[in-house]
Each structure stands twice: as C-alpha cells, then as structure tokens.
Amino acid sequence: QSVLTQPPSVSAAPGQKVTISCSGSSSNIGNNYVSWYQQLPGTAPKLLIYDNNKRPSRIPDRFSGSKSGTSATLGITGLQTGDEADYYCGTWDGSLGAVVFGGGTKLTVL
Amino acid sequence: QITLKESGPTLVKPTQTLTLTCTFSGFSLSTGGVGVGWIRQPPGKALEWLALLFWNDDRRYSLSLKSRVTITKDTSKNQVVLTMTNMDPVDTATYYCAHSSGYYQYYFDYWGQGTLVTVSS
C-alpha cells in the first residue's frame, strides 16, 4: 500500500492529452515538493518534473506538473507511442521522515 | 556528465547480508547540496525508497528497513555503499542508486541502470 495514491492505468490516443493524478496528505504533498518519473519498459526511472512544476532541460515541454493542496497532477500533451511507460510521483513525507513514491500509473497510448 | 552504476552480487541466500556499491562520476559527494540515494523495485511492483546520504554525512533511512540498512560513502573513490542485513526472498528486486541535488529537495535527477538481486536458497 503506497502512501501516495495514483490510478493504476490511464490511456489515450496519439496526439491527445492525458493527466495522471497523485493524491497524498498534509504530511507529504501538502507541505513538500512533488517530483514525477517516467519508467520505460526495462529501463531505470527518469526524472520528468521536480519542485512540482519544473522540468529538467532535457525534458520536452509536452510534460507539465502542477500541485493543489494535497494532490499533484502530471500532464502530457501530444501523446506519442514512445510515451508508453509507467509514471511515478514522489515526495518527502515529514511524518514518516522518508521519501515516498506512488504506486505507479501505466500509460497506454492506443 | 553525471553517471552512476550499481555493482554487487546477483544472488544472495536468505539471512545473508547484501552489500551493493554505487560508483559514480561527474559530481562529488563533498559538494554542498548533493546526495546519493538507493531505491529498489521488486519485479512488477512500484518503487520503494531505502536510504539517502548527503554531502554533509547526514543520512535518512526508510522507517520500515532502518534496522537492516546502512548507507556509507567513500568520497575519495566516488562510491556509496548500501548494506542490508538478514536478506529474505521478499527483498528480491532491482536496486537503483540515484543522484539527488538541491539541498534536501528529495528528488532524484540521475539514476543508475539498476542491478537485479535475487534472494533464494
């Protein structure tokens, strides 16, 4: 059981937009920055978003992040088949004194 | 260019101690704000954070594993070592080390390729 809750799967057609939610509490998302990771099949996770909405320079602007209260959202526009992957949110939990991750969301581009 | 690579045994027996080494380049663990963490992923399951070591020797551990896990560094060798005692089959997972920056910002911007550790007799 993950501390952060994500939908197990989402899907959308190529070229469309999709959002992935990440729900937490005041001890984690509510008072800390959120990061997002993309894990392509058989590879290591890659940082997509940090500090809620910032992108590393190598990440295209099709990827965006936002946070409101105790929830965060990853948005992906202009979906490509190469975006099919598992996506994880992560943050610090002050009550646990630990880095926590969501259970992951599998994105299917139909 | 920042790179990290995990090394260690691929197979350990139950009750044994696992020692994994993360060898990195492109940064120094003596630079302010830098950290190296360990994260694992059982086959087909989600990421699980294990430990994080900062430039100032501050350490953070997963509460559920704190009694079994130790993270140390050898700055001169650019290595971070994870030790996990009393291994069990449920500890079978791919173990990743990752770079963290930004003064306790707790995100991981560069990851190693991971190493699969199987616990079996």
Side-chain angles (χ1 to χ4, degrees):
Chain A
Q1 208 92 356
S2 300
V3 173
L4 305 180
T5 302
Q6 297 181 234
S9 63
V10 296
S11 62
Q16 297 301 304
K17 175 182 178 178
V18 71
T19 60
I20 297 173
S21 61
C22 177
S23 178
S25 68
S26 58
S27 66
N28 43 66
I29 292 178
N31 284 284
N32 294 285
Y33 288 117
V34 176
S35 55
W36 289 92
Y37 304 86
Q38 176 193 60
Q39 187 175 32
L40 297 169
T43 69
K46 178 172 72 174
L47 179 68
L48 290 178
I49 299 290
Y50 66 100
D51 290 358
N52 302 333
N53 55 17
K54 297 178 183 175
R55 282 178 292 107
S57 57
R58 59 189 178 277
I59 302 301
D61 59 6
R62 299 189 299 110
F63 296 89
S64 64
S66 64
K67 187 183 100 167
S68 178
T70 59
S71 293
T73 302
L74 173 70
I76 311 173
T77 60
L79 277 173
Q80 303 171 2
T81 56
D83 295 331
E84 286 202 335
D86 293 323
Y87 292 83
Y88 293 91
C89 57
T91 188
W92 176 256
D93 189 300
S95 293
L96 297 174
V99 175
V100 292
F101 291 105
T105 298
K106 183 176 182 60
L107 169 64
T108 301
V109 181
L110 303 167
Chain B
Q1 180 190 2
I2 291 177
T3 64
L4 305 98
K5 187 172 184 179
E6 307 85 354
S7 59
T10 57
L11 179 65
V12 297
K13 291 179 168 40
T15 75
Q16 286 187 335
T17 294
L18 172 69
T19 300
L20 292 174
T21 300
C22 176
T23 303
F24 56 84
S25 63
F27 68 94
S28 171
L29 245 184
S30 58
T31 300
V34 172
V36 173
W38 286 93
I39 303 100
R40 70 180 180 180
Q41 185 173 37
K45 296 189 177 182
L47 301 173
E48 178 185 18
W49 173 75
L50 303 177
L52 182 52
L53 175 60
F54 293 100
W55 83 100
N56 56 3
D57 223 26
D58 191 10
R59 293 167 172 82
R60 298 284 187 269
Y61 292 104
S62 164
L63 275 182
S64 62
L65 293 168
K66 190 172 184 178
S67 63
R68 300 174 51 207
V69 171
T70 303
I71 189 170
T72 58
K73 64 177 178 176
D74 186 330
T75 306
S76 64
K77 292 184 178 179
N78 280 351
Q79 291 180 335
V80 170
V81 176
L82 179 80
T83 302
M84 185 178 294
T85 61
N86 195 25
M87 294 291 285
D88 183 272
V90 301
D91 296 313
T92 294
T94 297
Y95 287 74
Y96 297 99
C97 65
H99 171 273
S100 174
S101 61
Y103 287 90
Y104 294 89
Q105 292 303 311
Y106 302 111
Y107 63 84
F108 301 99
D109 48 4
Y110 295 91
W111 294 62
Q113 64 189 26
T115 185
L116 175 61
V117 177
T118 301
V119 184
S120 174
S121 55

